Amino acid sequence: MASRLLWASRAASYLRISVFHRGFSSVIKDLKYADSHEWVKVDGNSATIGITDHAQDHLGDVVYVELPEVGVTVKQDASFGAVESVKATSDVNSPVSGKVVEVNEELSSSPALVNSSPYEDGWIIKVEMDNAGELKKLMDADQYTKFCEEEDSKH
Amino acid sequence: MKVPRSLQIWRLGIVNYSDALKLQEKLVSDRKIHKISDTLLSLQHPPTYTLGKRRTDHNLLISEAELKKLGAELHYTQRGGDITFHGPHQAILYPIISLRDIGLGARNYVEKLESTMIEIASLYGVKACPGQKGETGIWVGDRKIGAIGVRIQYGITSHGLAFNIDPDLNYFKHIVPCGIADKDVTSLRRETGNGIYEAVEKPAPHVTYSKEHQCHQALKRANGGRADAEMELAELLLHLLLYSLLLPF
C-alpha cells in the first residue's frame, strides 16, 4: 500500500498533477460489496466473506477478531462478529444470509492478516447461502469504488 | 451539498455504569433510525472498573469481593481497549455519532478523541501526547492522563473517552491500567500542582464570545464547592473542543 502511494506520488510529480492526500484502497473485480465495507466472493452456493482494503485502512491495526461459531446462522446486514483496532471494536456485518460453515482460525493468532491481506489470507468466514437472490442488493467493484470516494469526500 | 449537522450535549452528572450503558444502547438504536441527531453524553461514574471485549481480567489485581469492599463495581463491556477505572472527577464523554454520515473511520475518530484531550491539557499548560504504537490514550511523559475505549455498531459510536481531571488515583493501584505495566497514571490536578483554576489560560481563540462567557460564569461559581466548579469548567471546555473537532465549519 505504501509503495503504491510512493509510485503514485512520483508519477504525479512527473506529470505535474496534484496528488490526493488519501491513499488508494484496492477494490477487486468479481467480488460483491456491502455498504458497511464487507466483501463477498461467491462460488456456487458458497460465500467467502471479509472486510475491504478501505475498511482495514480506516480501522487501523487490527489486534483482535471476534469470530462466530461454525454452524450459526447469519443474516444479511446483521452483525456476526467484530474486529478490534486502536481501542475501538467495530461490528462486522454479513453481506448475505446463511449458515457459517468455516471460520478463519488463523485470525485468532494473527489478526493483522486482516490489514495485510484483506481479500486473501484475511478472509473471516465462509457461509452456505440460503438465498442467492440477496446478492442483487450488493454493489459491484465499480459501484463500490464510487461509494468509497463519496464517503471519503464527506470529511 | 453538506447537510447541516448538530450535536446535542447531555450533561448528566454522576451516573451508574449500567444506567449509562442502557442509555447508550437506546441512543445508538435511535440514532440508527435517524430518530435523533448526533448526541454527546457528558458524565462521571461512581467508582467503577471496566473490561473490554477481550475480557483481559488478568489485569485486575484484586478479587471482585475485595473490589466491592472498596466501594467499586466491576463491568464487562463490548468496547475496545483493556481494563480501566472510572470515578468521580474523571470527565467522561460518550459521543453517539454516526461515523458513516461524516465519512470517518475508527482510526480517525479515535485520533480526534485523543486530540480533544491533548488540547484541553494544553489549555491548562500541560503538555500531553498520544501514546506509542499500540498504546492508545493520552500521556504526560510516561504517566497516563486519558483513556479511550470505543464501540462501533452500524457505523455509530458508543463509549468514548475518560479524562483524569482529579479522580482518586489510588484506585488505579488495583489494576494494570490498559494492560500497560510499569507506567503511572496521573491527573490534571497532579500535573498542574496547586490549583486547576490558576493554571487555566484564556480560552482558545476559536471559542466564540458566548462560549467564553459561559466559561467565565463557571469560573465565578466558586461558592458551592471549588472542586465542583473546576470540574464544571473542565467539562465545558471538553465539550467545546470535541464539538469543534467533530463539526468542522
Side-chain angles (χ1 to χ4, degrees):
Chain A
M1 177 103 164
S3 58
R4 255 182 281 149
L5 195 52
L6 190 56
W7 172 86
S9 308
R10 288 203 181 130
S13 36
Y14 179 79
L15 295 167
R16 280 176 232 193
I17 54 179
S18 59
V19 179
F20 292 118
H21 180 62
R22 62 180 170 81
F24 300 102
S25 294
S26 65
V27 176
I28 311 284
K29 271 176 112 45
D30 303 332
L31 300 184
K32 291 281 198 191
Y33 298 86
D35 63 9
S36 44
H37 301 285
E38 292 88 10
W39 56 265
V40 57
K41 181 165 160 183
V42 179
D43 186 4
N45 218 31
S46 167
T48 307
I49 292 163
I51 66 170
T52 65
D53 190 23
H54 181 274
Q56 71 76 20
D57 183 48
H58 280 56
L59 277 175
D61 294 340
V62 174
V63 299
Y64 174 70
V65 180
E66 186 187 60
L67 296 165
E69 303 262 318
V70 171
V72 303
T73 36
V74 295
K75 287 231 153 304
Q76 189 177 50
D77 292 337
S79 155
F80 66 81
V83 297
E84 181 175 342
S85 64
V86 294
K87 303 292 178 96
T89 52
S90 304
D91 279 2
V92 187
N93 300 322
S94 184
V96 295
S97 309
K99 193 170 79 166
V100 176
V101 296
E102 203 183 331
V103 303
N104 188 354
E105 304 279 4
E106 275 296 308
L107 295 179
S108 300
S109 49
S110 308
L113 285 172
V114 171
N115 296 114
S116 58
S117 182
Y119 297 110
E120 309 261 337
D121 300 331
W123 67 272
I124 305 178
I125 61 172
K126 288 196 172 136
V127 167
E128 194 180 284
M129 292 190 289
D130 56 28
N131 182 2
E134 283 178 336
L135 294 168
K136 289 200 209 93
K137 282 189 175 176
L138 303 174
M139 294 180 266
D140 64 26
D142 291 330
Q143 290 167 325
Y144 179 64
T145 305
K146 190 152 176 288
F147 175 75
C148 289
E149 281 168 11
E150 281 168 9
E151 227 187 41
D152 283 346
S153 70
K154 280 182 194 163
H155 192 85
Chain B
M1 188 185 80
K2 279 213 160 99
V3 177
R5 289 167 41 218
S6 68
L7 182 68
Q8 271 223 358
I9 303 181
W10 297 25
R11 298 190 62 213
L12 300 172
I14 298 191
V15 181
N16 262 336
Y17 198 81
S18 326
D19 292 339
L21 212 50
K22 284 190 199 119
L23 176 58
Q24 289 177 78
E25 276 162 27
K26 170 143 195 350
L27 292 176
V28 166
S29 302
D30 285 351
R31 184 67 186 88
K32 182 189 181 205
I33 58 177
H34 304 284
K35 194 168 161 199
I36 57 171
S37 66
D38 287 339
T39 302
L40 174 63
L41 303 182
S42 175
L43 55 131
Q44 303 164 61
H45 289 308
T48 310
Y49 292 92
T50 68
L51 286 153
K53 196 186 254 288
R54 281 177 287 150
R55 303 173 78 94
T56 48
D57 45 21
H58 52 273
N59 287 323
L60 177 60
L61 305 174
I62 56 175
S63 68
E64 200 170 343
E66 286 169 302
L67 192 153
K68 287 198 171 120
K69 280 206 203 111
L70 294 171
E73 287 181 5
L74 176 66
H75 288 269
Y76 289 83
T77 75
Q78 296 298 315
R79 61 159 172 78
D82 209 302
I83 192 168
T84 196
F85 170 78
H86 300 304
H89 291 261
Q90 181 196 68
I92 293 200
L93 294 188
Y94 293 149
I96 313 292
I97 304 253
S98 169
L99 293 181
R100 277 191 214 165
D101 280 5
I102 52 178
L104 262 188
R107 183 167 49 160
N108 285 339
Y109 174 62
V110 166
E111 280 170 11
K112 284 187 188 298
L113 295 181
E114 288 180 331
S115 300
T116 302
M117 291 193 278
I118 290 171
E119 268 220 54
I120 187 176
S122 84
L123 283 180
Y124 286 87
V126 173
K127 193 155 160 35
C129 59
Q132 293 167 17
K133 198 172 158 76
E135 291 181 349
T136 306
I138 297 304
W139 301 78
V140 182
D142 61 2
R143 303 176 296 286
K144 192 161 190 176
I145 196 172
I148 293 179
V150 170
R151 182 178 187 190
I152 302 172
Q153 304 161 271
Y154 331 110
I156 295 168
T157 64
S158 56
H159 297 271
L161 67 82
F163 185 67
N164 292 342
I165 308 286
D166 185 20
D168 182 349
L169 296 177
N170 287 319
Y171 279 100
F172 284 95
K173 294 197 177 117
H174 305 298
I175 57 175
V176 181
C178 307
I180 303 169
D182 305 330
K183 296 232 168 125
D184 256 335
V185 180
T186 187
S187 66
L188 207 55
R189 166 163 293 282
R190 186 172 280 192
E191 296 298 323
T192 54
N194 257 341
I196 299 181
Y197 267 151
E198 287 82 23
V200 178
E201 301 291 324
K202 273 189 353 208
H206 59 261
V207 173
T208 63
Y209 172 73
S210 63
K211 286 159 190 165
E212 257 191 39
H213 181 69
Q214 285 174 61
C215 287
H216 289 141
Q217 288 295 94
L219 258 174
K220 272 192 210 149
R221 258 192 308 263
N223 290 336
R226 188 179 160 109
D228 286 338
E230 284 177 352
M231 188 69 205
E232 199 179 317
L233 171 61
E235 279 179 326
L236 193 57
L237 289 171
L238 262 176
H239 302 160
L240 299 178
L241 290 166
L242 187 63
Y243 179 92
S244 64
L245 276 174
L246 285 175
L247 302 183
F249 21 81

